[in-house]
Structures are given as C-alpha cells and as structure tokens.
C-alpha cells in the first residue's frame, strides 16, 4: 500500500487568499458606507422639501447652491428648513460616532452616552440653567456642554483603578445617571409651572431649537473631531483585542482609551448642547451599522455616523409630518428606541454578555 502524500499549497496562495478576503471586505465596507451616506443625503434634502410649502428636490439643491431664482423658496429652504436639517444631520453624525466608540471601547452593546451619565449630566446642567439661572439659548447650550464634560470626568475618575474596566465604567455611569436624573426631577418639582414646562420641553430633545451659533459650534466640532476619530479607529480596533494584546502591538492602552473617550464625550456634549438629549440614537447606530456591514464591520465608525444621521433625520420627518400633531424628534426616537433596548437587554441576558 502506497502512502498518500499531503501536498501543502505554496505560502503565496495563503497570502493571496487573505488579501482577496480583505479586499472584498474593504469593497463591501466602501459600498455600504456610500449607500448609507447617500440615504442620509437624500433624507437631508427631503427634510427641506416637505412641509406646508412643498418644494421640489431640484429647487432645494439650487437654493442650497445659491442658484435659485425664487426668493420665496430660497427663504423657506435656507432660513427656515436648512438649520433644522443641518442640526439633525450633524447631531446624528456626532451621536453615531460617539455611541459606537463607547460600545467598542467598553466592549458592551449597552454602553452608550445615554446610559453612562454623559447625557444626563448635560441635561442636569441645562435644566438648572433654565430654572435656577434664568438662562436661555446659548447659555443653556453652554451649560449642557459643561455638564456633559464634568459628568464624564467624574465617571472616569470613579471608575479608574490603575486601568479602566468597561464593566465598572458602565456600572458607575449608570449610578451617576440615576443621580443626575433624580436631581433633575427635584429641580423641576421646585420650579413654577411655566419654567418647568420649558425645562421639560428641552428634556424631550428637538432638532429645531438650534441657533446659528450653536450650529456653527456643532459643525466646527465635527470637522475637527470626526477625522480624528477615524484616525484613531485603528487603535480602537487594537484595543478590542484586549489590553495585553494591544500593549504587545505597541499601543499605549490607557492614553489611547482616554483620548477615544474624550473624543466621544466631546461629540456627545456638543450634540446634546445643540438639540437636547435625543435618546437611543447613539445606542442603535452602531449595532445597525455592524449588521449591514457584516464582515466589513471593522470600518464601522463612518457607517455608524451615517446611520445616526438617517435615524435622526427620519425621526424628525416622522415627528413633523406623519403624526397628527407635530412633535419634537426626541419623542419618536424614544418610541423607536425603547423596544430595541428591551430586546437588547433580553438578548444580552440570554447570551451572558452583560458584563
């Protein structure tokens, strides 16, 4: 009986196979992200088309580019609808990036600025400015920005024990969030009816309240931080391998983690300062992007930002045009996000991934 010789394929065959898989994943990621960006752009234009005064897509684009010849349409598009659409697009991008960084960095699908105290801290400072400081407009937005940063620093300091554990960070963040929520209820309960109503309106979250200054701050922040987040995404992918592996690959773990957290907190803080706390956008953007990207999910930051923009632009369209009474976008994101959170909690519990 003759022995069967096992012939090993040449090493370059393995290299070619791996390279082919990587190129296919990269192409899929590029195509899917491009489609998501196109959908977000279409919703951005659609937001400026619909309303009591309907405008065609060509006319909207012409007005945006300064090529329109209808002063009435230009006024509606540029002065009335563009600020709302720009706030929804920018805030959705910011929350999509921030939520995905939190979830990947802390290794938990429940990790989100909504649930680790950042948004609630911003809300506490903003409501306190409305009810106790008599502030409005830019003062409230600035207070929300400061509140988000202060709360994030408190959570980080309390969670730091030589290193940051995702489980400990989330638990402490939830505790700080509950404290901020209780303080908000206390402040609102002591206010008169008119001021309490104003505070509760802010707490719902709306993309229609931003002024020119707030929008300028939002987009300048995005121009600076989104490219930085994309540059840092490589170290984020390495950190997902674990601290030991990341150190072996030359990554300064705690410094990289701190920078990524700072970028995420800054994006969340500016978004909440502009629109108020829009719940669940940051929570759902990353998982949806991961699902549609599939094997190409390693490049998910930009895709998650596009998903966040799609969710928020779509929520505002529904809230303003498909409901019997126009409502803030935060009502719709809350209604859509709550069932997802319940499903996520149940699935995480079944899979034992809660910690």
């Amino acid at each position: 009986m003759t022995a069967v010789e096992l012939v090993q394929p040449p090493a370059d065959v393995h290299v070619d196979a791996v390279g082919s898989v990587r190129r296919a994943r990269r192409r899929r990621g590029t195509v899917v992200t491009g489609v998501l960006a196109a959908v977000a752009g279409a919703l951005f234009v659609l937001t400026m088309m619909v309303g009591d005064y309907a405008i065609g897509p060509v006319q909207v684009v012409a007005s945006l580019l300064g090529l329109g010849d209808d002063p009435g349409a230009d006024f509606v598009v540029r002065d009335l609808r563009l600020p709302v659409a720009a706030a929804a697009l920018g805030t959705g991008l910011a929350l999509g990036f921030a939520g995905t960084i939190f979830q990947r960095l802390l290794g938990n699908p429940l990790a989100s600025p909504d649930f680790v105290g950042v948004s609630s801290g911003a809300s506490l400072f903003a409501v306190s400015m409305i009810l106790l400081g008599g502030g409005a407009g830019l003062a409230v937005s600035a207070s929300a920005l400061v509140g988000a940063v202060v709360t994030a620093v408190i959570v980080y300091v309390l969670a730091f024990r030589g290193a940051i554990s995702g489980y400990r960070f989330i638990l402490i963040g939830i505790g700080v969030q509950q404290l901020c929520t209780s303080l908000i209820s206390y402040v609102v309960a002591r206010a008169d009816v008119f001021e309490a109503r104003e505070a509760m309106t802010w707490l719902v979250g709306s993309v229609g309240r931003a002024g020119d200054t707030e929008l300028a701050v939002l987009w300048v922040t995005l121009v600076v931080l989104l490219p930085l987040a994309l540059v840092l995404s490589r170290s984020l992918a390495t950190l997902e391998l674990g601290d030991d592996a990341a150190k072996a690959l030359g990554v300064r773990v705690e410094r990289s983690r701190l920078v990524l957290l700072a970028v995420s907190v800054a994006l969340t803080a500016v978004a909440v300062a502009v629109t108020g706390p829009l719940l669940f956008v940051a929570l759902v953007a990353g998982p949806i992007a991961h699902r549609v990207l599939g094997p190409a999910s390693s490049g998910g930051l930009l895709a998650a930002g596009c998903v966040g923009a799609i969710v928020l632009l779509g929520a505002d369209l529904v809230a303003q045009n498909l409901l019997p009474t126009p409502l803030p976008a935060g009502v719709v994101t809350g209604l859509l996000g709550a069932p997802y959170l319940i499903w996520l909690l149940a699935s995480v519990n079944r899979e034992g991934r809660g910690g």
Side-chain angles (χ1 to χ4, degrees), residues 95-343:
L95 292 177
F97 268 72
T100 304
I101 292 173
F102 262 103
Q103 289 165 344
R104 292 177 59 183
L105 193 62
L106 301 178
N108 194 308
L110 294 173
S112 167
D114 299 335
F115 303 115
V116 295
V118 179
S119 297
S120 57
S123 300
L124 174 61
F125 275 60
V127 168
S128 298
M129 174 58 69
I130 293 172
L131 300 180
L132 304 179
L138 188 59
V140 176
S141 297
S143 299
L145 184 64
V146 172
V149 174
V150 169
T151 307
V153 170
I154 291 173
V155 174
Y156 184 86
V157 170
L158 292 176
F160 188 81
R161 294 293 183 273
I164 287 293
S165 164
Y167 186 57
R168 184 168 59 243
F169 190 96
I170 293 170
L171 286 179
I172 292 175
I174 291 173
V176 172
Q177 178 212 19
Q178 291 303 311
L179 174 61
C180 291
T181 302
S182 299
L183 291 174
I184 290 171
S185 300
Y186 174 77
V187 173
V188 171
R190 291 180 60 86
D192 62 45
V193 175
F194 176 78
E195 291 178 335
R197 183 180 302 165
E198 184 179 356
M200 294 305 296
T201 300
W202 191 91
L203 288 170
V204 171
S206 172
V207 297
R209 63 161 52 97
D212 293 340
T213 303
E214 290 94 330
L215 284 175
V217 172
L218 171 65
W219 280 98
V220 168
T221 302
L222 293 178
V223 169
V224 173
L225 292 186
L226 294 192
L228 177 60
L230 293 174
V231 171
L232 294 172
S233 62
R234 175 168 295 186
S235 62
L236 176 61
T238 306
L239 288 172
E240 289 181 285
L241 300 175
D243 289 359
D244 293 337
K247 290 177 182 177
L249 292 171
V251 175
R252 296 183 178 181
V253 172
E254 285 308 316
R255 189 181 72 172
S256 299
R257 186 178 285 124
L258 179 60
V259 172
L260 285 163
L261 282 173
V263 169
S264 182
V265 168
L267 289 171
T268 304
V270 173
V272 176
V274 170
T275 62
L278 291 161
L279 297 177
F280 300 115
V281 177
L283 180 70
V284 304
I288 293 175
H290 178 82
R291 182 62 61 88
V292 297
L293 283 170
S297 59
S298 59
L301 278 185
L302 186 56
C306 292
V307 171
I310 291 170
V311 169
L312 193 47
L313 286 164
D316 187 60
L317 281 168
V318 171
Q320 296 299 317
N321 300 283
L322 298 182
L323 297 180
T325 302
L327 294 171
V331 174
V332 176
T333 62
L335 289 174
L336 295 177
Y340 170 79
L341 178 61
I342 294 172
W343 171 83

Side-chain angles (χ1 to χ4, degrees), residues 54-73:
I55 302 175
V58 176
Q59 201 170 10
V60 168
V61 174
S63 294
L64 292 176
L65 297 177
L67 304 176
D69 56 1
D70 185 343

